[in-house]
Amino acid sequence: MAARDALVKYFRVHVQAFPQNRRLRPFTLSSNLLLRRFSEEVRGSFLDKSEVTDRVVSVVKNFQKVEPSKVTPNAHFQNDLGLDSLDAQEIMMALEEEFGFEIPDNEADKINSINLAVDFIASHPQAK
């Protein structure tokens, strides 16, 4: 019991009351403390872009309506590969299967080249 009393006395914190006429300001944190800082490279990507590029190119090359020799990282689905919008949707579905996440339709409609697909997938947190 004496040891407990000694410890309580040792750890006791002195509290000082504020004067009645002093207004308390609300506790605020600067936005820098709230936001975790990352370098531009880490903030914008989750998977290695070169790995994503290789995998996307591989998926597109394996698509039966595509001439594999025409597939490059800069290839545009319609202009360079001669695909229509239905073919592009099928490629998006194959990419969803490859990377294990669903690409929303509104985003899939914007992806019309291999580079755009790579950028979207590399920056998506659910891509595996």
Side-chain angles (χ1 to χ4, degrees):
M1 186 75 154
R4 181 184 155 290
D5 290 340
L7 277 174
V8 169
K9 187 175 182 179
Y10 178 77
F11 287 114
R12 187 167 287 152
V13 177
H14 180 69
V15 177
Q16 199 172 29
F18 285 108
Q20 294 294 342
N21 60 355
R22 184 174 174 193
R23 242 178 91 201
L24 294 176
R25 285 182 277 168
F27 180 71
T28 58
L29 289 174
S30 94
S31 61
N32 289 341
L33 293 174
L34 295 175
L35 298 176
R36 189 171 174 189
R37 297 290 178 194
F38 293 109
S39 69
E40 208 46 51
E41 180 181 328
V42 171
R43 190 179 323 143
S45 65
F46 293 91
L47 292 177
D48 180 54
K49 261 190 157 176
S50 63
E51 177 192 340
V52 173
T53 302
D54 293 342
R55 289 170 65 186
V56 169
V57 166
S58 175
V59 167
V60 174
K61 279 184 179 181
N62 290 329
F63 190 68
Q64 63 189 25
K65 295 182 181 179
V66 171
E67 177 69 36
S69 63
K70 292 183 177 182
V71 178
T72 65
N74 297 322
H76 188 275
F77 293 149
Q78 291 175 340
N79 298 343
D80 300 326
L81 302 178
L83 301 176
D84 61 21
S85 59
L86 186 57
D87 296 332
Q89 284 181 347
E90 288 182 39
I91 287 178
M92 289 299 114
M93 289 173 18
L95 291 173
E96 288 174 342
E97 197 171 308
E98 171 70 21
F99 290 95
F101 76 101
E102 188 175 329
I103 300 171
D105 290 340
N106 63 339
E107 294 297 327
D109 292 341
K110 298 174 191 175
I111 298 172
N112 58 13
S113 69
I114 290 178
N115 276 339
L116 289 175
V118 168
D119 290 343
F120 181 80
I121 292 167
S123 66
H124 201 281
Q126 294 177 338
K128 298 172 188 156

